[in-house]
Amino acid sequence: MWQAKRFAGSIKRSDSSAEGVILLLVILILAAMLSISISIFDSVLGEFRISGEITDSFTALYAADQGMEKMLYENRVSGAAWACPGRTGICSYTATFNSGNANLPQAACFKVTLERNGPNVTIVSTGEYKCPNLNPDENIGSVKRAFQSSYSVE
């Protein structure tokens, strides 16, 4: 009888030490799974941010393109008398347009610079989305895109 009790006591001791090892393994596996989950979440969140910035980038690119087209038209077709009168000498002109005075998406703007040095003309158009002058609260994360065109007028 004494041997049966002794045998049962040894079984309990081995079970309790095995339970401790199993608990440690479960904690390690859960920690590894948590670490993997956090890294996947971080990657997915980064991709969502990038996809939002791509949309903003296209809006800024559209605004820059509109500014370039406007200045090319004004300079080549109408002569841009309001910008740089005459076709000789050095001239620099900068204009800023936003959704209030141009056909632009909400919170977009562009800035156009025309530089004329004799027959050589350089136009730089910078489009911006989330313009600070339109939405002062949203100027964090504004996106800018630009075009430059150089040509000679005969």
Side-chain angles (χ1 to χ4, degrees):
M1 191 80 156
W2 183 76
Q3 286 182 336
K5 286 183 181 178
R6 185 174 168 208
F7 182 70
S10 67
I11 290 176
K12 285 184 180 177
R13 278 191 225 138
S14 66
D15 281 343
S16 64
S17 65
E19 287 175 2
V21 171
I22 291 173
L23 182 62
L24 182 61
L25 286 175
V26 167
I27 290 173
L28 287 175
I29 290 171
L30 287 175
M33 289 174 53
L34 180 65
S35 169
I36 291 170
S37 299
I38 289 173
S39 65
I40 289 173
F41 176 76
D42 188 43
S43 297
V44 169
L45 186 63
E47 292 298 321
F48 278 131
R49 284 185 189 148
I50 289 172
S51 67
E53 289 174 1
I54 287 174
T55 304
D56 296 350
S57 179
F58 278 123
T59 304
L61 191 68
Y62 170 71
D65 180 54
Q66 187 171 358
M68 180 62 72
E69 292 294 330
K70 181 174 180 58
M71 191 56 81
L72 283 171
Y73 174 80
E74 294 293 338
N75 190 45
R76 299 192 81 168
V77 174
S78 68
W82 51 270
C84 287
R87 297 212 179 253
T88 60
I90 298 172
C91 175
S92 179
Y93 174 76
T94 301
T96 302
F97 298 89
N98 56 41
S99 56
N101 60 4
N103 188 19
L104 288 171
Q106 193 68 15
C109 61
F110 62 82
K111 177 182 171 185
V112 183
T113 302
L114 171 76
E115 292 184 8
R116 184 179 296 151
N117 187 359
N120 300 322
V121 177
T122 301
I123 299 173
V124 178
S125 176
T126 304
E128 185 174 0
Y129 182 67
K130 297 182 182 173
C131 300
N133 58 343
L134 295 177
N135 295 324
D137 297 333
E138 294 184 12
N139 62 353
I140 297 173
S142 74
V143 179
K144 290 184 179 182
R145 296 293 176 260
F147 288 112
Q148 179 176 340
S149 175
S150 299
Y151 59 94
S152 294
V153 179
E154 297 177 10

